[in-house]
Amino acid sequence: MSSTSSKSIVLMTEDPLLSIRKKGVQCTDAERRPYVTIREKSGIIFTFKNKMKVRLCWNAADRDELTARDLDLCLFYRGEDGGTGGVFSSDYRERPEDLGRLDAFPYILHRGDETLSQKGGGATEEIWIGALRGIEKACICVVDYEAANAESASFFEEAGAYVDFQTKAGDYHHSNLRSEGEGCVYWVANLQKGPDGLIRLLRKRKVLTIVEACEQIPGFKLICNVRERTDDER
């Protein structure tokens, strides 16, 4: 007489991150990567309600240079309606409205291009932000005008360039411009509204070429000459 014994089978909950490795199968690149990674920092420098002053400072030239350095503080944005725009020197397009205004959209004002009529000494440019109404994202950047025209890289640290951010409430941040890449556009920071309604000043610190700036910064094309490619160039 034979007896049959039965064993109970316990089902395990499947874990998508844990499984037995198949024998004889090489690891893929994806499998070699850890599935636990460090979170990317938010990059928030500080938050503020509305008013802020942005100031660019630099050495126009030293004793050994024949011409003055021409740096331009600019702000470009993407609106909540999807449109793009900017607040920058009126010398680019000879349009006074490019300086913006505080009493109507975009509620941001450029205080004017620094006139470099003589070499030597310090130079400054300022942008005043009254509010961020109707703007989804604003990008603050510095353009080395001479380097952009020569299609060469800029060395912002040689000009001792830096940007200060100061709010009406007393928040303050100082950002030295260091040329950690080839390009003539320094993307300093972004402005964006948070879920609490406060404006976030977000660290960027990225050096771009003119082409990269056109591709990555909404509205940057406003200060560029953009021509269509010919059939031979396509």
Side-chain angles (χ1 to χ4, degrees), residues 68-80:
R69 302 183 186 98
D70 187 1
L71 302 186
D72 290 322
L73 179 64
C74 307
L75 182 148
F76 301 99
Y77 60 81
R78 180 173 60 244
E80 293 176 349

Side-chain angles (χ1 to χ4, degrees), residues 113-129:
D113 197 347
E114 175 72 19
T115 302
L116 302 176
S117 58
Q118 59 183 8
K119 68 173 186 173
T124 62
E125 285 190 13
E126 290 185 358
I127 288 178
W128 292 358
I129 296 165

